[in-house]
């Protein structure tokens, strides 16, 4: 049963159907031009799609394979977008956001999104901080085994936290000094857990990725086992392709 059209992304140029991509439900991925914009889609076999790992990966794979085939500039659409027909897309998207779409394509032309997540072991960092700061360690050790007032507990806690924050900022600054000059735009997001100290996406020229990757590797070697770095060098530019509702 056909429930309409499942949409993956929008391209500023025509997309060859010779890509032979398979999308959700194993459906053949096709392209359709609507008012100058090319949509990548497949027939929807469900009214709504569960955001399962399998479905999410299938959605991402379609976009990544199209990018690998040379269609670098795209606006990825959110997972699970099903429309009845192309008239609905024209009415609810293009007519309302055509200028924004054109501006986004202009911004993304020749650019790619990469992302970095920096993680560390908080307990190890606190221990290293104490070893490198004898005065702070001495203050903490003096308080062990004693009945402390709330004011004393808060005081030593704030002192430890401020020193840990300084160490964190020094790590982040080392990355920013090396990587920001290569980026057209940087968007920072909230860390995803307590061990993550930095989470950011970078918009960089396609040809700069190898240099960017080398710098990430150099910084990683500098900090050694202190950090775990998650570097994603190939993804659809979700972070930099946000439409703003009017």
């Amino acid at each position: 049963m056909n429930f309409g059209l499942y949409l993956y992304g929008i391209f500023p140029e025509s997309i060859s159907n010779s890509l032979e991509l398979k999308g959700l439900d194993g459906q053949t991925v096709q392209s359709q031009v609507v008012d100058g914009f090319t949509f990548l889609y497949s027939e929807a076999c469900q009214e709504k799609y569960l955001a399962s790992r399998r479905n999410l990966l299938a959605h991402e794979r379609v976009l990544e394979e199209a990018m690998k085939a040379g269609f670098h500039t795209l606006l990825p659409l959110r997972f699970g977008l099903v429309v009845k027909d192309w008239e609905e897309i024209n009415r609810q998207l293009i007519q309302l956001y055509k200028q924004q779409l054109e501006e986004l394509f202009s911004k993304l032309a020749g650019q790619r999104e990469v992302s970095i997540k920096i993680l560390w072991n908080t307990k190890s960092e606190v221990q290293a901080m104490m070893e490198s700061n004898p005065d702070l360690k001495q203050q903490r050790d003096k308080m062990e085994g004693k009945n402390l007032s709330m004011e004393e507990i808060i005081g030593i806690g704030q002192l430890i936290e401020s020193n840990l924050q300084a160490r964190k900022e020094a790590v982040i600054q080392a990355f920013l000094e090396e990587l920001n000059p290569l980026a057209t735009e940087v968007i920072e997001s909230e860390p995803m857990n307590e061990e993550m100290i930095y989470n950011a996406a970078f918009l960089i020229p396609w040809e700069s990725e190898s240099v960017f990757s080398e710098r990430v590797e150099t910084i990683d070697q500098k900090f050694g086992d202190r950090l775990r770095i998650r570097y994603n060098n190939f993804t659809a530019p979700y972070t930099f392709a946000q439409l703003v509702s009017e």
Side-chain angles (χ1 to χ4, degrees):
M1 185 174 180
N2 188 303
F3 288 90
L5 309 169
Y6 182 92
L7 305 181
Y8 299 92
I10 317 173
F11 295 78
E13 72 269 29
S14 60
I15 298 293
S16 172
N17 285 326
S18 64
L19 289 175
E20 298 182 355
L21 301 177
K22 294 294 183 181
L24 272 71
D25 300 315
Q27 294 295 302
T28 299
V29 176
Q30 305 174 64
S31 65
Q32 175 70 35
V33 178
V34 182
D35 196 13
F37 299 104
T38 299
F39 288 79
L40 218 55
Y41 76 99
S42 59
E43 299 293 332
C45 299
Q46 303 176 48
E47 187 175 0
K48 292 184 179 180
Y49 282 89
L50 178 67
S52 64
R53 176 176 172 80
R54 179 180 180 181
N55 286 342
L56 289 169
L57 288 176
H59 180 99
E60 292 297 321
R61 185 169 58 249
V62 168
L63 295 175
E64 290 177 3
E65 290 300 320
M67 291 167 67
K68 289 177 181 177
F71 302 101
H72 294 162
T73 305
L74 82 151
L75 300 178
L77 295 171
R78 70 176 187 271
F79 170 82
L81 182 57
V82 176
V83 298
K84 294 180 180 179
D85 51 37
W86 297 114
E87 177 55 34
E88 181 180 352
I89 279 292
N90 188 49
R91 184 178 64 257
Q92 296 190 10
L93 178 63
I94 296 178
Q95 289 184 16
L96 296 178
Y97 300 103
K98 185 172 184 178
Q99 183 175 345
Q100 279 197 55
L101 291 171
E102 292 173 343
E103 290 172 352
L104 285 173
F105 277 128
S106 178
K107 181 177 81 170
L108 296 175
Q111 306 286 314
R112 67 192 294 170
E113 177 175 330
V114 298
S115 65
I116 287 181
K117 295 175 175 58
I118 307 172
L119 302 94
W120 70 7
N121 185 300
T122 304
K123 290 183 179 180
S124 297
E125 281 298 317
V126 171
Q127 183 60 36
M129 179 181 68
M130 292 299 178
E131 293 174 357
S132 64
N133 193 332
D135 291 340
L136 179 60
K137 185 176 186 300
Q138 186 177 29
Q139 289 185 58
R140 185 197 64 177
D141 293 347
K142 282 182 179 180
M143 294 182 172
E144 291 183 355
K146 294 183 179 181
N147 292 323
L148 303 178
S149 66
M150 183 58 69
E151 183 178 343
E152 289 174 320
I153 293 173
I154 293 174
I156 189 64
Q158 289 178 336
L159 194 57
I160 291 173
E161 181 62 30
S162 64
N163 278 271
L164 190 63
Q165 182 64 29
R167 290 174 68 87
K168 181 185 299 185
E169 291 174 357
V171 169
I172 294 172
Q173 189 61 32
F175 279 84
L176 300 186
E177 287 178 357
E178 289 293 328
L179 302 180
N180 279 18
L182 295 177
T184 305
E185 186 177 344
V186 181
I187 294 180
E188 299 179 353
S189 301
E190 288 295 320
M192 302 169 68
N193 54 53
E194 292 184 359
E195 300 290 280
M196 187 178 296
I197 63 173
Y198 190 66
N199 179 16
F202 298 77
L203 189 66
I204 64 173
W206 271 86
E207 65 274 11
S208 297
E209 194 285 321
S210 59
V211 177
F212 195 94
S213 178
E214 289 173 1
R215 291 196 183 181
V216 172
E217 180 65 27
T218 299
I219 304 170
D220 188 20
Q221 293 175 359
K222 173 183 176 181
F223 287 101
D225 294 337
R226 263 185 84 186
L227 307 176
R228 287 176 290 131
I229 301 173
R230 296 176 184 172
Y231 173 52
N232 187 345
N233 70 341
F234 192 79
T235 183
Y238 284 99
T239 309
F240 300 97
Q242 300 293 321
L243 286 174
V244 180
S245 299
E246 297 178 350

